[in-house]
Structures are given as structure tokens and as C-alpha cells.
Amino acid sequence: MGLLTNKVLRHEIKPGDHIYTYRAVFAYSHHGIFVGGSKVVHFRPARNLKSITEASSDLDDQTSDPCPTFPDCGFRQPNSGVVLSCLDCFLRNGSIYCFEYGVSPSVFLTKIRGGTCTTALSDPPETVIHRAMYLLQNGFGNYNVFQNNCEDFALYCRTGLLIVDKQGVGRSGQASSIIGAPLAAMLSSPLKLLMPSPVGVATVTAGMYCMSRYATDIGVRSDVIKVGVEDLAVNLGWHCPDPMQEEEEEEEEEVVDPGVETSDTQITTVR
């Protein structure tokens, strides 16, 4: 991986790597965890949900075009957005890029595009794969393009870090870039009155943009905590509804208790 690109070849990726590929002519990137055996666990909107960027075209949905190579490609639990795909279906003829962890602040700031690296350190590959496979069975909550997207999923699998403040931007570098770019342009606009040179204004704007990305990186933020994957559902409520439990609740019958005489009918719920 170089300074300008994180592009790698297939034989270079290892189980536990955080990989991504670009969609819609480099408009955005889709992230996942390579778990070995030509399989990737990634996060996308559930079938009954729609997102701003990905739901308009089902680029990662194998239900309409089943994989001819791997029968389990496209596996997911009901109402969950965590999917197991083969590498070919994940890439969709795109190239492979490997997300970098533990980069220095200087290297982070030189990355013009967000969603390519973080200063946070990664956990061991076996821990990363365990988190990804556990979330494949238990879900990762509702997809949100700004606070809980595919990059957030991969970042959590690699680091175990979650954002405490749910009102701000999530862990995703892409989301930080989307917000940071127009914010930097807006904040630097008054400088046009002081700097007649457009090069100077562009330099200041770029600096503000890079600093805003760095400030929201999970490696430097103070509002992140380490959460075990088994504790996600208990502490944060990130779990998929159990279809069997919902059916049992719907089948609960309400019967009248004949032993009590009141003006109003007393209803007792039998479970």
C-alpha cells in the first residue's frame, strides 16, 4: 500500500483484513471484513430498509442474482443487514483496497480521501473474525449512512470501539468527509476577503478539511469506548428481532377472568 492508494492484489489480503471497494465510479466505497475462504462479512441496509446511497440500487443483494459459485453467498439472518458474501460478489468487478490501521497523524493528514485509514490500533485477526461472525448471526442494528454504515461495522470488528455520543458523526471516515468538506468550505469563505489569491484560500480550505477529518478519527476521539461483541445487544440494543419470539407474542390470547365481578371486564393476559 502506498501513500496515494491502498490498492492490493487478491493474494495479498489475509483473514481479518478490513477491505473495501469503490462503487458508482468512485462515488463511495463499500467496506467489509475478509474472513478467509474467499468470503467477506459486510454490512448493508436490510431488505426492508432503504438508505441514502446504497438502497437505490441493490448492488450488494445476491437475492436477485444468486451466486453460481458459493451456495451460502448472500447469507444473512432475517431483518439483519450483516451479510456473508463471496469475494467476487462483494467486489462486483471492482478492485480491492485494504484499510490501514495505526497510521501516524502525518500520514493520516496526507490522505485526501476519508475512509481509507485510522490512527486507531487493530485487534488480533482472530478477534476480528470472531466479532464479524458473531455479528453475522446477531446483527449490527439499523443501517444509518452517517452513524452506522458498512465502514462503521468494519471499524468495530477491527477495534471493538464504539462512539458514546450518538448525536454526532459515527466512526466512518467517509461520513466525516461528507460533512467536513462543505463545512471547511463554509468556514474558509470569509478568508476570500483577506486572501486575494485563490491558491491561498484553497490551501486553507484543504487544511481545515483534513483537520476536521482527523478530529473525528476514532484513534483520537475521547468519546469512544471498548465494547465486547457479546455485550452489544445488552448495552446498546443492537440486535435483530427474533422472529419466533415475535410470533409467540402475537399468539398471546386475552381471556376474561370469570372469578371477578366488576363493572368493567377484567382482562388477563395468558402467556
Side-chain angles (χ1 to χ4, degrees):
M1 292 182 290
L3 189 62
L4 298 179
T5 177
N6 295 347
K7 188 175 181 179
V8 295
L9 300 177
R10 291 194 178 214
H11 70 270
E12 294 180 301
I13 59 175
K14 303 177 296 296
D17 278 352
H18 172 175
I19 63 174
Y20 61 96
T21 186
Y22 287 102
R23 299 276 198 256
V25 196
F26 292 90
Y28 68 97
S29 56
H30 186 57
H31 297 243
I33 298 296
F34 180 67
V35 295
S38 297
K39 299 293 178 60
V40 181
V41 177
H42 54 114
F43 184 52
R44 66 181 304 276
R47 293 190 183 99
N48 59 339
L49 298 175
K50 298 295 181 184
S51 74
I52 296 176
T53 57
E54 292 184 84
S56 58
S57 60
D58 295 331
L59 295 175
D60 302 302
D61 193 353
Q62 283 84 29
T63 56
S64 58
D65 187 15
C67 176
T69 308
F70 296 93
D72 59 345
C73 181
F75 169 81
R76 73 171 80 195
Q77 293 291 354
N79 301 321
S80 173
V82 183
V83 188
L84 176 71
S85 299
C86 71
L87 187 58
D88 288 333
C89 290
F90 174 81
L91 294 175
R92 295 284 181 173
N93 297 321
S95 299
I96 308 175
Y97 298 82
C98 195
F99 199 96
E100 291 184 273
Y101 286 81
V103 302
S104 65
S106 58
V107 171
F108 183 92
L109 291 172
T110 58
K111 301 283 187 177
I112 299 176
R113 184 158 190 164
T116 61
C117 65
T118 178
T119 59
L121 298 176
S122 173
D123 289 327
E126 56 271 17
T127 302
V128 176
I129 295 174
H130 168 70
R131 289 185 184 128
M133 299 307 294
Y134 183 91
L135 295 174
L136 177 63
Q137 297 296 331
N138 296 274
F140 193 62
N142 294 327
Y143 187 97
N144 184 293
V145 70
F146 291 111
Q147 294 184 338
N148 199 43
N149 57 38
C150 60
E151 186 183 343
D152 291 312
F153 170 81
L155 282 167
Y156 172 75
C157 289
R158 283 293 297 259
T159 65
L161 297 176
L162 289 178
I163 304 296
V164 178
D165 182 13
K166 293 301 179 182
Q167 301 302 319
V169 67
R171 301 168 294 282
S172 170
Q174 289 189 95
S176 299
S177 298
I178 294 173
I179 297 174
L183 180 62
M186 180 181 67
L187 293 176
S188 63
S189 58
L191 297 177
K192 295 178 181 179
L193 301 176
L194 304 176
M195 292 184 177
S197 173
V199 176
V201 176
T203 302
V204 173
T205 302
M208 289 183 176
Y209 164 72
C210 291
M211 290 306 299
S212 67
R213 283 182 46 241
Y214 180 73
T216 57
D217 180 61
I218 60 170
V220 298
R221 292 178 66 157
S222 59
D223 59 344
V224 296
I225 57 174
K226 194 99 169 182
V227 179
V229 67
E230 292 83 2
D231 298 328
L232 284 178
V234 176
N235 294 343
L236 302 177
W238 288 7
H239 67 283
C240 291
D242 186 351
M244 297 299 295
Q245 183 178 357
E246 289 184 350
E247 290 180 4
E248 291 177 359
E249 292 177 354
E250 290 177 358
E251 291 176 357
E252 290 175 351
E253 297 180 355
E254 293 183 348
V255 297
V256 179
D257 186 355
V260 180
E261 294 182 358
T262 59
S263 57
D264 298 327
T265 303
Q266 180 173 344
I267 305 298
T268 304
T269 300
V270 178
R271 295 183 180 273

Coordinates of all heavy atoms in Angstrom, one line a residue, residues 52 63 99 204 242 249 260 266:
I52 N -29.7 6.2 2.0 CA -29.5 7.3 1.0 C -28.7 6.8 -0.2 O -29.0 7.2 -1.3 CB -28.8 8.5 1.7 CG1 -29.7 9.0 2.8 CG2 -28.5 9.6 0.7 CD1 -29.1 10.1 3.6
T63 N -29.9 -11.8 -3.8 CA -31.1 -12.5 -4.0 C -31.6 -12.4 -5.4 O -32.2 -13.3 -5.9 CB -32.2 -11.9 -3.0 OG1 -32.3 -10.5 -3.2 CG2 -31.8 -12.1 -1.5
F99 N -7.8 -1.3 4.2 CA -7.9 -0.2 5.1 C -6.7 -0.3 6.1 O -6.3 -1.3 6.5 CB -9.2 -0.3 5.9 CG -9.6 1.0 6.6 CD1 -10.5 1.8 6.0 CD2 -9.1 1.3 7.9 CE1 -10.9 3.0 6.7 CE2 -9.5 2.4 8.5 CZ -10.4 3.3 7.9
V204 N -5.9 26.8 2.6 CA -6.5 26.9 4.0 C -7.7 26.0 4.1 O -8.0 25.3 5.1 CB -6.9 28.4 4.3 CG1 -7.7 28.4 5.6 CG2 -5.7 29.2 4.4
D242 N -36.1 -11.4 17.1 CA -36.2 -12.8 17.0 C -37.6 -13.1 16.4 O -38.6 -12.9 17.0 CB -36.1 -13.5 18.4 CG -36.1 -15.0 18.3 OD1 -36.3 -15.5 17.2 OD2 -35.8 -15.6 19.3
E249 N -45.4 -13.7 20.8 CA -46.1 -12.6 21.4 C -47.4 -12.3 20.7 O -48.4 -11.9 21.3 CB -45.2 -11.3 21.3 CG -44.0 -11.4 22.2 CD -43.0 -10.2 22.1 OE1 -43.3 -9.4 21.2 OE2 -42.1 -10.1 22.9
V260 N -64.1 -12.7 38.8 CA -64.1 -11.3 39.3 C -65.3 -10.6 38.7 O -65.4 -10.6 37.5 CB -62.8 -10.5 39.1 CG1 -62.9 -9.1 39.6 CG2 -61.6 -11.3 39.7
Q266 N -62.5 -7.5 33.4 CA -61.1 -7.6 33.7 C -60.4 -8.5 32.7 O -60.9 -9.7 32.5 CB -60.9 -8.1 35.1 CG -59.4 -8.2 35.5 CD -59.2 -8.6 36.9 OE1 -60.1 -8.4 37.7 NE2 -58.0 -9.0 37.3

